[in-house]
């Protein structure tokens, strides 16, 4: 059984997917973290992404691995655990840009499909239901208004003791939506057979319960 959850940045996909996986005893696969791993490599090595051929050559030898330690997904970049660096805004913004490149997507496609073949997974991303796992038994398109998504991200940052401007966060979210939805390769869109869930006025537990109900149909 595979569950595909797609949706825009900040819709709560990872929280929901993680919890759903835990309740069902499945593996949670955060594909955004894989794109962030590649983005980190591009940033750390100052690679200009405007030249797709150059990027393709540079990332060819890069090894992205996914491991599970105490039930938590860890991303290894060329043998180093980089998980703690992946949530930075700069890495997310680069991931949104570099994930539009076909060579970046091609590099991660087999890894994602293989995981779904080997395990029961809850996999979240942008093109899981439409492209990576078109035969997933359950597909969900999870979204929320940009205001609600910005508020959630803002609260997370403040809880860490950092400062932020909620308007800048919302503007970033809107830019990211546009990039993810308007790119040519595997744009973010709802699969025809996906169930649409707007979580703006739902609790985490309500969304998880809705998805678990879908697995029993
Ligand atoms: O879900 P996230 O914010 O960690 O993802 C970071 C970026 O990676 C996102 O802006 C788009 C890209 N991404 C993608 O193109 N396809 C996926 N399956 C997952 C993420």
């Amino acid at each position: 059984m595979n569950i595909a959850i797609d949706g825009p940045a900040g819709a709560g996909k990872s929280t929901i997917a993680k919890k759903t996986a835990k309740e069902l005893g499945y593996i949670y696969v955060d594909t955004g973290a894989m794109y962030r791993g590649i983005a980190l490599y591009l940033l750390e090595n100052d690679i200009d992404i405007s030249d797709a051929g150059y990027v393709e050559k540079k990332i060819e030898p890069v090894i992205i691995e996914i491991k599970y330690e105490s039930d938590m997904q860890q991303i290894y970049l060329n043998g180093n655990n980089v998980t703690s660096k992946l949530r930075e805004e700069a890495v997310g913004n680069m991931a949104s840009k570099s994930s539009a490149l076909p060579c970046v997507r091609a590099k991660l496609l087999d890894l994602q499909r293989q995981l779904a073949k080997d395990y029961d997974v809850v996999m979240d991303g942008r093109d899981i239901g439409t492209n990576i796992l078109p035969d997933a038994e359950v597909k969900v398109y999870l979204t929320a208004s940009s205001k609600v998504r910005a508020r959630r991200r803002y609260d997370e940052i403040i809880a860490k003791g950092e400062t932020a401007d909620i308007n800048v966060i919302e503007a970033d979210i809107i830019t990211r939506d546009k990039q993810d939805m308007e790119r040519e390769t595997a744009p973010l869109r709802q699969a025809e057979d996906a169930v649409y869930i707007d979580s703006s006025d739902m609790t985490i537990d309500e969304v998880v319960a809705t998805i678990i109900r879908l697995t029993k149909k």
Side-chain angles (χ1 to χ4, degrees):
M1 164 81 80
N2 291 316
I3 302 177
I5 303 181
D6 292 301
K13 295 187 300 294
S14 58
T15 307
I16 302 294
K18 217 180 280 173
K19 207 152 188 236
T20 306
K22 195 159 191 209
E23 292 203 11
L24 294 170
Y26 292 6
I27 298 267
Y28 164 52
V29 183
D30 172 2
T31 63
M34 298 178 188
Y35 285 97
R36 285 169 184 264
I38 300 269
L40 180 68
Y41 180 83
L42 297 171
L43 284 171
E44 284 184 341
N45 293 282
D46 230 352
I47 295 168
D48 175 8
I49 63 160
S50 63
D51 181 347
Y54 180 64
V55 173
E56 184 166 10
K57 224 169 38 218
K58 293 304 258 188
I59 64 169
E60 214 260 329
V62 172
I63 298 172
I64 292 278
E65 292 165 289
I66 184 163
K67 297 183 187 177
Y68 292 88
E69 293 165 15
S70 321
D71 260 6
M72 301 279 279
Q73 174 183 281
Q74 306 290 320
I75 297 288
Y76 282 74
L77 172 62
N78 292 331
N80 299 312
N81 187 339
V82 294
T83 314
S84 66
K85 296 184 183 171
L86 300 181
R87 300 308 310 172
E88 286 166 21
E89 298 300 321
V91 177
N93 289 336
M94 174 54 109
S96 179
K97 290 198 192 93
S98 53
S99 62
L101 298 173
C103 63
V104 170
R105 306 203 71 81
K107 189 163 180 78
L108 298 175
L109 183 121
D110 289 344
L111 177 59
Q112 292 168 4
R113 285 200 178 140
Q114 194 59 46
L115 284 163
K117 218 177 192 177
D118 293 344
Y119 305 99
D120 290 326
V121 297
V122 181
M123 187 176 285
D124 77 358
R126 302 294 189 288
D127 65 335
I128 310 306
T130 49
N131 187 41
I132 303 293
L133 306 177
D135 298 327
E137 284 79 0
V138 172
K139 295 183 188 177
V140 169
Y141 188 84
L142 182 65
T143 189
S145 70
S146 60
K147 282 233 161 349
V148 168
R149 290 186 279 138
R151 161 62 58 186
R152 289 177 184 161
R153 181 78 191 115
Y154 175 80
D155 290 345
E156 253 173 41
I157 296 171
I158 299 303
K160 281 196 280 183
E162 295 164 15
T163 52
D165 178 336
I166 195 161
N167 296 315
V168 173
I169 296 177
E170 190 181 359
D172 251 14
I173 281 178
I174 291 169
T175 307
R176 203 100 89 71
D177 285 358
K178 200 169 152 56
Q179 276 170 190
D180 295 348
M181 290 173 181
E182 292 182 1
R183 68 182 178 216
E184 240 166 75
T185 313
L188 168 64
R189 58 178 179 79
Q190 183 181 349
E192 273 174 25
D193 49 352
V195 174
Y196 181 90
I197 301 179
D198 183 333
S199 73
S200 301
D201 298 313
M202 290 171 85
T203 64
I204 291 168
D205 286 343
E206 283 169 343
V207 179
V208 171
T210 305
I211 297 174
I212 290 178
R213 264 200 306 278
L214 294 173
T215 65
K216 300 192 170 132
K217 275 199 175 158

